[in-house]
Amino acid sequence: QLPGWRLESGKLACEYRFTSYRAAIDFVNAVAALAEAQDHHPELLVGHDRCVVRWSTHSANGLTMNDFACAAMTDAAFSRT
Amino acid sequence: QLPGWRLESGKLACEYRFTSYRAAIDFVNAVAALAEAQDHHPELLVGHDRCVVRWSTHSANGLTMNDFACAAMTDAAFSRT
């Protein structure tokens, strides 16, 4: 179960809200660190007070278990912000 | 003159390419620093090896001179990466 996540054009996507641009950028850096650790890199859309994270596996042309694992890790990173 | 920039849904947009996700994230942080200094915050779309930057002015419901100035500063930040 990954509440808040949805399928968006074949990608696993979630939008997070923040109280400032700085907080959104801090979250981007946390997700980047996890992406590098996993060697798996999400698409990120950063707006004034939000960040949309989209996981997918290019080589599989879709989603794998790894995307769901990374989605859970993204939630964990958010809960630490 | 801002080569590489285009109008995209009323926003001033440019796509930058990088040799790694890390390099793209470093650029995001450089743009975030400039955004905070200017108190003007672009939309950022980060992919594996690229970052699209989109400037617009919400309060003007379009573009202002400030967006063009920030676009030029974004190019300068990229040239420093």
Side-chain angles (χ1 to χ4, degrees):
Chain A
Q1 287 292 322
L2 286 166
W5 290 83
R6 62 188 187 276
L7 282 176
E8 199 182 283
S9 305
K11 298 177 180 175
L12 190 58
C14 187
E15 179 173 284
Y16 299 91
R17 294 270 175 174
F18 302 91
T19 52
S20 68
Y21 196 76
R22 181 68 257 165
I25 295 294
D26 288 346
F27 175 71
V28 164
N29 281 293
V31 174
L34 119 70
E36 288 176 274
Q38 298 296 317
D39 195 22
H40 193 44
H41 306 89
E43 197 172 88
L44 301 169
L45 178 65
V46 185
H48 195 102
D49 59 352
R50 69 200 173 94
C51 179
V52 178
V53 181
R54 295 189 196 108
W55 291 100
S56 66
T57 300
H58 190 76
S59 61
N61 197 27
L63 297 177
T64 67
M65 285 304 293
N66 196 28
D67 294 305
F68 291 87
C70 284
M73 285 185 264
T74 307
D75 278 347
F78 179 72
S79 72
R80 284 192 297 271
T81 62
Chain B
Q1 287 290 321
L2 286 167
W5 291 83
R6 62 187 187 277
L7 283 176
E8 200 182 283
S9 305
K11 297 177 180 177
L12 191 58
C14 187
E15 179 173 283
Y16 299 92
R17 293 271 175 174
F18 302 91
T19 53
S20 68
Y21 195 78
R22 182 67 257 165
I25 295 294
D26 288 346
F27 175 71
V28 164
N29 280 292
V31 174
L34 118 71
E36 288 176 274
Q38 298 297 317
D39 195 22
H40 193 44
H41 305 90
E43 195 172 88
L44 301 169
L45 178 64
V46 185
H48 195 102
D49 60 352
R50 68 201 173 94
C51 180
V52 178
V53 181
R54 296 190 196 107
W55 291 99
S56 67
T57 301
H58 190 77
S59 60
N61 196 26
L63 298 176
T64 67
M65 285 304 292
N66 196 28
D67 295 304
F68 291 87
C70 285
M73 285 184 264
T74 307
D75 278 346
F78 179 72
S79 71
R80 284 191 298 271
T81 62

